[in-house]
Amino acid sequence: MTSDELKDVVSCKTTRFYKKGDVIFDEGESLHGVYCVRSGVCKLTKLSANGKDHTVKLLGKGELLGQRSVISDERTNLSAIALNDIELCFVPKEQIMTPLHQNHNFSFDVLQQLAKDLRNAEDDLITMAQKSVKQRMAETLLYIQRVFGMDESGSLNVILSREDYASIVGTATESAIRILSQFKKEGLIGTSGKHITIKDLEGLRRVE
């Protein structure tokens, strides 16, 4: 964006706060702007045919929510839910669409980002189809540590329930509990309640 366009965004953006478990927007909702995570973590979920929510992605600081729906002028195909207390910046739709029509450099940058998101979604589909549940669980743990880091105690910075882990890797909760217990017995991770500490990075990468 140009400096003037950025000034317009800054002047009209608002800050919104959500508590853990709050719904930021529901699947099928019409959005009137784009959200950017300032602090905290949220999850994007998709309601499956059996009535259960499947976690599609975790989003943290600096990441955007709702941009595809706003640009395509479609209702959302995912829900966004706060995983912990979260602070979001909200930018009205017109402050995104006007530069898209007038600023070719901005339009191209947005197009590149959407293409990147599509590639990541394709990679996720391939992972789900070609890798075992154990491998997907290991990759999820590694992803959370890489993207969201660790807290002062060395535990993963994002605290998820066993149901959340099951939803992310596409398995039953009982299976997720069993796999995490196996990882703990093998010395790959440590657990304390919902807190998980990665003990053996290379070991997780070698999970088959």
Side-chain angles (χ1 to χ4, degrees):
M1 285 186 171
T2 65
S3 58
D4 287 339
E5 289 167 344
L6 287 173
K7 288 178 183 177
D8 288 340
V9 169
V10 171
S11 66
C12 70
K13 73 177 181 179
T14 55
T15 301
R16 301 187 179 185
F17 298 91
Y18 296 85
K19 295 291 186 181
K20 177 181 179 180
D22 284 351
V23 175
I24 299 165
F25 56 77
D26 274 316
E27 186 175 337
E29 188 175 327
S30 292
L31 298 183
H32 302 291
V34 174
Y35 299 86
C36 179
V37 181
R38 177 173 285 178
S39 65
V41 181
C42 70
K43 62 179 178 179
L44 298 179
T45 66
K46 177 71 176 177
L47 188 64
S48 62
N50 62 7
K52 292 185 177 181
D53 281 328
H54 172 67
T55 300
V56 177
K57 189 176 183 181
L58 303 178
L59 298 176
K61 184 176 181 180
E63 297 195 85
L64 299 176
L65 295 81
Q67 70 274 27
R68 192 199 63 79
S69 296
V70 167
I71 292 171
S72 63
D73 197 25
E74 296 176 346
R75 293 181 180 272
T76 58
N77 68 332
L78 301 172
S79 297
I81 301 168
L83 275 176
N84 48 30
D85 291 351
I86 189 170
E87 180 182 354
L88 302 173
C89 288
F90 179 79
V91 180
K93 182 176 181 177
E94 56 269 23
Q95 298 301 327
I96 301 296
M97 297 309 297
T98 299
L100 273 177
H101 288 296
Q102 299 177 354
N103 184 333
H104 295 302
N105 289 331
F106 177 59
S107 299
F108 184 70
D109 285 345
V110 170
L111 182 62
Q112 283 188 314
Q113 184 59 52
L114 292 175
K116 181 181 177 181
D117 291 342
L118 178 59
R119 184 190 65 208
N120 291 338
E122 291 171 344
D123 289 342
D124 290 340
L125 285 174
I126 292 171
T127 295
M128 290 291 286
Q130 296 182 348
K131 297 191 176 182
S132 69
V133 177
K134 285 179 63 178
Q135 287 175 316
R136 298 202 298 269
M137 181 66 77
E139 289 192 357
T140 296
L141 294 170
L142 292 168
Y143 169 82
I144 292 173
Q145 182 180 42
R146 183 176 68 253
V147 174
F148 301 104
M150 300 174 292
D151 62 20
E152 294 178 356
S153 69
S155 299
L156 295 178
N157 230 352
V158 176
I159 301 173
L160 301 175
S161 67
R162 299 304 187 253
E163 291 80 8
D164 283 325
Y165 280 108
S167 177
I168 292 170
V169 303
T171 190
T173 301
E174 295 77 11
S175 177
I177 293 172
R178 186 169 58 252
I179 292 170
L180 289 171
S181 295
Q182 183 180 347
F183 285 175
K184 184 176 182 179
K185 289 178 182 177
E186 294 173 354
L188 301 176
I189 64 172
T191 63
S192 177
K194 291 183 180 180
H195 295 268
I196 294 178
T197 304
I198 293 180
K199 302 287 190 180
D200 186 352
L201 280 171
E202 290 304 317
L204 280 176
R205 294 190 179 108
R206 292 194 299 267
V207 168
E208 296 180 354

